[in-house]
Amino acid sequence: MQTDVDPRNLIGRKAFDRNGTKIGTIDEVYLDDATGVPEWAAIRTGLFSRDAFVPLEPSELVDGTLRIPFERSLIKDAPDFGVGRHLSPEQELQLYHHYGLDVTAPQTPDVSFGRIAGAEEDPT
């Protein structure tokens, strides 16, 4: 995904799978605490559904929507860590493995992933 996109501008955008099927709406964006780079998005998959974490790196922002290169069923089956708190390095690895993405284990155990809260919160 473009790294020059302000992650706060992703909140509230629609997300679609590789086939163009709507997955839901972006609730939160998680940043790597060490680099500040957006790594994950939490997608609200329905009114009474949980959020599903998706990796931002292979995803693309196209015409104001997030296009995720995975099947909807894989996304909905992603590990559920809850939203509103940091992702631990172990949780991040579980997500990378779930999506079949190649990643090496974090070298520092204190690296975690913070979040940018949903649209209802004002960052200023």
Side-chain angles (χ1 to χ4, degrees), residues 22-91:
K22 183 180 172 190
I23 299 164
T25 304
I26 301 172
D27 254 356
E28 296 181 344
V29 175
Y30 288 71
L31 308 178
D32 181 310
D33 284 344
T35 66
V37 173
E39 294 280 337
W40 300 97
I43 309 293
R44 172 64 59 184
T45 59
L47 186 58
F48 299 107
S49 302
R50 67 177 181 88
D51 282 61
F53 287 93
V54 297
L56 290 173
E57 177 50 39
S59 301
E60 295 180 296
L61 193 57
V62 178
D63 297 326
T65 62
L66 187 66
R67 303 296 174 148
I68 304 161
F70 300 103
E71 298 282 337
R72 185 174 194 256
S73 59
L74 181 68
I75 294 165
K76 290 188 94 171
D77 288 340
D80 184 4
F81 301 120
V83 294
R85 57 180 184 239
H86 280 69
L87 289 175
S88 72
E90 294 78 19
Q91 291 170 327

